Amino acid sequence: MDTAFDPSLQHWLDLAGIFVFAISGALLAVRRNFDVFGIAVLAAVTGLGGGLFRDVVIGAVPPAAFTDLGYFLTPLLSTVLVFFLHPVVERINKAVNVFDAAGLGFFCVTGTLKAHEYGLSLTSSVVLGLATAAGGGVLRDVLANEVPSLLRWDREIYAVPALVGSSAVALLIHFDAVRPSTTLTAAALAFLLRLLALRYNWRAPRAWHRRSAKADTEAAGPDGNLGL
């Protein structure tokens, strides 16, 4: 079988993405002072949400999350690890961002590959790769009562790194160059781009000739945190 769509490769990339995304969800739950059940729920939703959306859209039903025990056990493992880590509050937010960036990288690759495997065009596969990568993080933020990073004007670019990673995979497919090493490189590209965005505060442009900064203050509310 072509290594581009090697089920074993996709399976392990999926599990890696689930693990790091679940870690980010569990860490956010700790930051929000959730109990152990809340930590487990947020870890599972973050780790599995994007993949569930992908599988439903492409008709891969029942979704892999309901047919492979590893997909259930991986978020639980993340929950246990985070639950017993000695909390270092000032480092939690940074850890959430790093693991979220890693999950973004893995899932934009697996989402694009699996979408194309199920017959979607390269363009549609890229879009679904982006949705797979961002879906878990969006659900995580919504359940934690935060505005999703994907929609925050005051946060570093989130969708762009996933879009770059998905596009890189589409190019690999087009040139028949998908290999374990090249797919991991595409995931690393999205991961590093997201980390660089966090490091250097790269943000997407807003509307041309938009209203004055007064609207930003009004949207943020009296505490300046956009209602958070």
Side-chain angles (χ1 to χ4, degrees), residues 21 24 46 96-97 99-105 108 130-141 148-152 155-164 190 193-194 197-198 202-204:
F21 253 147
S24 79
T46 310
V96 170
N97 289 331
F99 281 103
D100 181 74
L104 199 73
C108 72
L130 169 61
T132 304
V138 169
L139 290 174
R140 174 200 63 208
D141 292 343
S149 297
L150 186 69
L151 305 178
R152 292 284 297 268
R155 292 284 179 87
E156 298 78 7
I157 54 174
Y158 189 85
V160 172
L163 186 60
V164 169
L193 185 57
R194 172 61 177 161
L198 291 169
W202 293 344
R203 298 176 184 177

Side-chain angles (χ1 to χ4, degrees), residues 160-186:
V160 172
L163 186 60
V164 169
S166 297
S167 299
V169 175
L171 288 175
L172 292 175
I173 295 172
H174 178 73
F175 291 105
D176 194 25
V178 178
R179 305 290 184 271
S181 58
T182 57
T183 52
L184 289 175
T185 300

Side-chain angles (χ1 to χ4, degrees), residues 10-24 46-48 74 78 99-100 102-107 110:
Q10 289 194 40
H11 178 75
W12 287 108
L13 285 174
D14 251 348
L15 290 182
I18 290 168
F19 178 75
V20 292
F21 253 147
I23 288 282
S24 79
T46 310
L48 300 175
T74 301
S78 300
F99 281 103
D100 181 74
L104 199 73
F106 281 120
F107 273 153
T110 60

Side-chain angles (χ1 to χ4, degrees), residues 28 31-32 93 137-138 140-149 152 155 228:
L28 180 57
R31 196 179 76 192
R32 302 291 286 183
N93 188 53
V138 169
R140 174 200 63 208
D141 292 343
V142 169
L143 290 178
N145 197 30
E146 295 195 1
V147 177
S149 297
R152 292 284 297 268
R155 292 284 179 87
L228 294 184

Side-chain angles (χ1 to χ4, degrees), residues 25-40:
L27 285 170
L28 180 57
V30 170
R31 196 179 76 192
R32 302 291 286 183
N33 203 31
F34 288 8
D35 62 19
V36 64
F37 181 75
I39 295 173

Side-chain angles (χ1 to χ4, degrees), residues 21 38-39 41 45 84 92 116 118 135 152-153 155 171 178 224:
F21 253 147
I39 295 173
V41 168
V45 167
F84 287 105
I92 286 180
H116 190 263
Y118 273 75
R152 292 284 297 268
W153 63 264
R155 292 284 179 87
L171 288 175
V178 178

